[in-house]
Amino acid sequence: MEFDLFGRQRLKLKENQDINPAVLTPSAMSTVGLRRATESHSVSLVNQTGLDILICPMGFVTTISSTGKRELDNSQPSCFMVNDGSKVSLDSCFGGGELQQMSDLISHAFPALALSLSPTAEAKVGKREAIFDLPVTCTGRKSIGLHKLRPFTPDRLKSDFIKQDRRHVARSSETILSNGSLSIQGQYSYYDIEPVVEWCMQNQRLRSSAPDVYNIANGKDLISSNVWSPGDEFYNESENPNASSTKSGGSSNWLRPYLQNDSPEWTDMTCILRMERERVMLPDDNWIWANDWMVDLSGTYSESTDADGWEYEADFETFNRSRRFYEKGDACRRRRWTRMRMIKPPHLDDPNRTLPLVWETVREEKGNFSVTVRSPVIVHNNTNMALSFFLFSHSWKEDVHAGETNSGEKLPIPITLASATYMRIAKKRNKNDAPGLLQTIGDYEYTDRLVILPTSYTSSVILRASLLWNEENSELTSTATGPRMSKLHFLVHIKSKSGVTDIYVEPVIRIINLLPCQLQYQLGETIRTGGQQRRDSRPVIGKGRKKVSNKAVAAIDIGKEDCSSAVDPILKPHISLRVPGYQWSPWQRIVNRRAKSHTWVPTEEEEDNLFETNTDDHVEEYKTCVRFERLKDGGDPLILILSVEGGHCPTIRIYSQYWIIDKTGFGCRFTEGFSDMLGSVPSNETCRRSYHIPDEARHSGMKMDAKLPGHQWSIGMSGMSLFFSRKEKITLSIESGAGTDPKSPDNTKQIRSKWISPVDVSNVMPKAVFHVDQKDGPRRFELSLSVSIAPSIFSRTKCITLFPRYQIVNLLDKGLYVSQSGCTSSEVFIPSQRSVPFHWEISSLPPKVRLCSSLDDYEFKQPGTSDRAWTNGCIQLDKIGITSMRLPTTSRRPGKPIVIQAEVRLAAKDQSSAVVVVIWSANEKSNPLYLLRNKTTHPILCSQVLYAETDEEDKQVEDLLVFDKCLAGAGAQTDDQKSWRKMGMSKMKAKQSRDSSSVQQKKEATGFEFPRFNCGTTCRPSTPDFIGSQSSGDFVWSIKSGEEVCFGFDDPEKPHILEWTCGDSKARTATFDEEDSAVLEIDAMGQVVYLTLPNGKQVKCHICAEHSTKVIEFIDVKRQGETVGVSLLEEWHQKGNIFESMMATQHNQVRWAGSFEEDVVDDEVGDDDVVAFSVRMDLPFVTISVVDNCADVSSGREILYVQLDSWMMEFSQSREGYHELEWRLMSLQ
């Protein structure tokens, strides 16, 4: 059925076709369905066949009545030519007119296309039959179809051939490939005969003198590998595979089966029947051998086989179809030898041979489709160099050039060459040849021919190849004095699946730089006895006096990967490394084995360099430590980790165990422990620094390396360093940067600290706090340390980040001075909108700071000046919380008090400290902590009570006064200060007695019980030498009628008790009369205190909450019958926040009509006016289920299920203002 979604006239493909499509109007569809149905997805087509092709929609394919076959008519506009190597869009192919509708149908109805060769292509390879019903789209992400372009044959000849007796043809003396045996038509059906693989097994048993790895000498290989052997001896096999000894004198640990009931050395797949390789014969002359006997290397290295193809078992009887690597206790091994035979292939110009073709459809992320028409054979170049490829077959005259690829690219083989049997890897000798010339094999250096035929419908074959090459190539070392021929080695992996073959050309080794700096490496080969290679002068780690020849040198950028083909895996490759600021490391062998494979015992020197961790990450990799010596003698060493991931092409990763990011601002030194029992002498083996020593900076080699990217990490400077610790611990000390010294050349004050106890950094942990004390000094540096995993590909490394513990942030519009309480001579200036770390000048003093404002943002006066106005109270930095404080000033002009809010909170994950102290200015419009609001007709005077409350605290009256206890400013107390303290104590006791009698008199006169606190008068400093230049009036808050101001404590650590009184409204200035005052606790929500004025009127002060602000509100109290303006309660009622039923009590009647009668004075009025309420929510159960429906071809998969039963939460508030939160859960699944 065909749908015309746009209401257009139906498409008429042919006049004689009777098509009755249903018309689906937009009204019959939903809006979403119509949008989805009319969405257009583009379809692109890429031609990589090596020939020009024709494509045509299946609706336009013609039918020839004489033959009854479908053919493509290239004269019709429906057929479109796609040239070789080009990419077209079907919208452009079928654009305009009727074909535009066909383009729409391609996007919506998922039709098929037909394909055929163009006339120019048929002139080269002969006429071919078209391929029909090729899908344009796919339901999944990708679909691959294998098709064949068969030669075009008339129906009469084809029917005659079908009637022949094929069994008779097979029994005839002349087979299909014999000259003149059959017609050309009869041969073409036999061109697709698959090759046949012959198998045989080679069996060996372990020597009785070497039952396991512990019975052989250090440095020897138990399995006696020929390729990638970590042993010191070479175990190259002789031309005779039956030999059990080696040419180089080292005897193998494996022999022919020598026990009585052992299997023969050469058997079939069952290891029972004897089978000689030489006795395997071809069936007849039409078959040929494609290759000689070769070892089957398929399988996962170190899991199913070793590098030589051996699989292991405890005995020959236990071998089965599953293959495995050596395990402890194995005494038998076997490996498969294969040889391929095939029918003689047709000639390259034979017009009757079939041409294979792959139709590949891929759905892209945006829903578009990409169709690629290519050969079934693709070559992938995974090396770091440009390579050329030549193909050959037995019936071809010479090797044919298939193409050239750069590093990381792939080469689709033309379909005319897809039947090739062999492939050569080649590199061009002269790169200056003009392009476009005919490429012949004589212009290249090339490998031997490699059989690329798949052994089965789905197979995997691994081959090794090498070619001669000039060492003047940029990849190899430049130390040679003249051109020398060397070899490049490759690993060829041939994978075949569903008839499609991918050939991967791999290097010998891969190297990944996981360091934050540039890495240089050199690869070398072990020189055999009598070898003529040039020996490198660097030492070699291992047993004996091994000689290594340098073969390659290269550099790898940060986080990048490189590969090399310059070393032979048979010659025991070695590696040497270098990072900025350090010399080349000694040569050390590349051990391509698992960490605990029980097949090799390292030498004592190599065993000392082994690195083992307690975690399970990458436990199979063989890890060693690489030690580097500083360019300048006596500098800190550096140890990095070299990890080898085993495989036929091993991968080497170089990384650091720890990165240290020092954000303290100091110059620190790190080590893993101490070399003495007292813990005073650091271990020099792992010493590192986060700053650069000036003497090293002048070294010529250091200057050159300072230009390389990431040199700060390897050298150790600018707060960055690499670190290694076998114990997974770190200890540190501060060596520089703790201040400034004008006499120092680099203006750095050299202050050394003590070493801290070693800290365990084996696991990830948040910010942990510790301190470092100054050596021979009173200072203490509070720091924090966190351990995290490095991001992305660097996740093998842990990051150790050092922060200052305290970070003070100044959000004021002016500068701020901060000093430790008791040591104001050592102050820290914080500019506006900036932050600075803070440390303690005297470790014995409490962790408190005092503040002082600056007249200018960047004003910095000399420390210890007498005009500093420090706060009377302190902020304790080791307690989390927020407070409000009044900031004194040095200005003599009267003005509005400066109220600041200071919050001590834990730092966020991305902040460079453990604790953040944020200081900002309080504002009436920005929800301050405390707000004083005067709704009376009198000015209100108030102040914080600063004296002691009990007799036990009389002895601690010194704490009421803050003196400079710094070593530079400590001194004896003056007589005035002592007399002031005595006066304060006498006034406090007199005030307590006077207050108690005053309360009793007011109760008798009014009959009202006034709640009062046992408090006294305010002690105010009377001398400017005590706290800056403040006067006694600076501690009194004066609030005019109708005014509201932010409130801050003079000393937040003292009890939050406010003493207040009313001034004379007619007087110009308000005075604080201590005889008629009241007190209340600011933090007691709902607290109400009354004050009776001399004229008999009363003023009420009560505490309420507005949003997050505690409001201390002063209101005139009127007796019954008196009216006032709009009060706070009426404002709440007008806003709808409190209902009338909540406000009405038996002692407090409210009338909402006419005037408002407020606060009727009664003898039973209490102070508990906080509303008590309770809110509860119950849920029987809650179920959460998350289903993954991302995959198009599979059903939904539940990835998360959570069920909570009997869930209850209750929130309540008592009449005393206390809150309670209860949360209960019966079960959680």
Side-chain angles (χ1 to χ4, degrees), residues 1045-1103:
V1045 295
C1046 296
F1047 175 76
F1049 297 105
D1050 294 311
D1051 191 347
E1053 295 182 309
K1054 295 298 181 182
H1056 293 181
I1057 298 177
L1058 185 70
E1059 183 177 9
W1060 63 278
T1061 186
C1062 293
D1064 189 358
S1065 59
K1066 298 180 180 180
R1068 292 186 177 182
T1069 60
T1071 59
F1072 195 92
D1073 189 359
E1074 299 176 356
E1075 300 295 333
D1076 297 316
S1077 62
V1079 294
L1080 81 163
E1081 185 178 356
I1082 296 178
D1083 293 331
M1085 289 296 301
Q1087 182 72 41
V1088 180
V1089 176
Y1090 293 85
L1091 178 65
T1092 302
L1093 302 181
N1095 56 8
K1097 296 184 177 181
Q1098 291 183 336
V1099 176
K1100 181 187 73 172
C1101 176
H1102 74 103
I1103 301 174

Side-chain angles (χ1 to χ4, degrees), residues 145-406:
L146 181 62
H147 307 273
K148 292 185 178 181
L149 290 169
R150 300 185 181 276
F152 181 82
T153 57
D155 289 346
R156 181 179 56 82
L157 295 178
K158 184 176 181 179
S159 61
D160 293 342
F161 173 72
I162 295 174
K163 294 179 181 179
Q164 296 180 8
D165 186 357
R166 297 185 178 181
R167 291 178 296 176
H168 173 71
V169 174
R171 293 194 299 266
S172 63
S173 58
E174 293 181 339
T175 59
I176 58 174
L177 293 179
S178 300
N179 295 329
S181 62
L182 289 175
S183 63
I184 296 177
Q185 174 62 30
Q187 297 179 21
Y188 115 91
S189 295
Y190 290 89
Y191 285 169
D192 297 334
I193 297 180
E194 299 291 338
V196 179
V197 179
E198 300 290 348
W199 307 80
C200 89
M201 282 291 182
Q202 182 185 8
N203 305 308
Q204 288 185 352
R205 178 177 283 276
L206 186 62
R207 286 178 181 268
S208 59
S209 60
D212 53 39
V213 70
Y214 303 104
N215 294 92
I216 61 176
N218 289 0
K220 288 195 174 184
D221 186 11
L222 177 65
I223 61 178
S224 303
S225 295
N226 176 36
V227 179
W228 288 115
S229 174
D232 295 327
E233 297 180 347
F234 291 93
Y235 299 99
N236 289 341
E237 295 179 348
S238 62
E239 296 297 332
N240 181 13
N242 295 332
S244 59
S245 61
T246 59
K247 288 183 176 181
S248 58
S251 59
S252 174
N253 295 319
W254 298 83
L255 304 174
R256 302 171 182 172
Y258 53 86
L259 296 182
Q260 183 176 0
N261 296 326
D262 282 350
S263 299
E265 182 178 8
W266 296 97
T267 63
D268 62 353
M269 298 294 294
T270 63
C271 291
I272 298 176
L273 300 178
R274 186 182 299 274
M275 179 179 179
E276 298 292 342
R277 297 185 310 169
E278 291 75 10
R279 294 185 180 181
V280 179
M281 307 298 292
L282 294 173
D284 53 43
D285 294 339
N286 295 292
W287 292 84
I288 59 174
W289 289 113
N291 61 341
D292 199 355
W293 287 100
M294 57 183 297
V295 176
D296 180 16
L297 298 178
S298 62
T300 305
Y301 177 82
S302 293
E303 290 184 8
S304 58
T305 63
D306 61 9
D308 295 333
W310 294 100
E311 55 180 304
Y312 296 83
E313 283 291 345
D315 204 346
F316 291 109
E317 297 178 354
T318 58
F319 280 108
N320 50 44
R321 298 186 62 180
S322 61
R323 311 166 68 186
R324 66 170 176 82
F325 189 67
Y326 175 87
E327 293 181 359
K328 188 177 180 181
D330 290 344
C332 297
R333 69 178 183 179
R334 70 175 185 177
R335 62 179 174 181
R336 289 185 290 189
W337 290 75
T338 63
R339 194 176 189 184
M340 186 182 299
R341 58 182 173 91
M342 57 182 294
I343 292 290
K344 293 179 181 178
H347 294 282
L348 185 61
D349 54 355
D350 187 352
N352 297 310
R353 65 191 182 99
T354 59
L355 299 179
L357 179 143
V358 170
W359 183 272
E360 180 180 0
T361 305
V362 178
R363 171 180 284 185
E364 299 175 351
E365 294 182 356
K366 296 183 179 180
N368 301 325
F369 296 96
S370 175
V371 179
T372 304
V373 187
R374 60 175 177 85
S375 164
V377 180
I378 294 183
V379 180
H380 303 261
N381 181 9
N382 293 336
T383 65
N384 61 346
M385 63 185 74
L387 296 176
S388 298
F389 301 94
F390 286 83
L391 301 177
F392 182 76
S393 183
H394 281 282
S395 59
W396 299 0
K397 296 180 181 179
E398 61 180 359
D399 294 270
V400 180
H401 184 255
E404 181 177 353
T405 60
N406 294 323

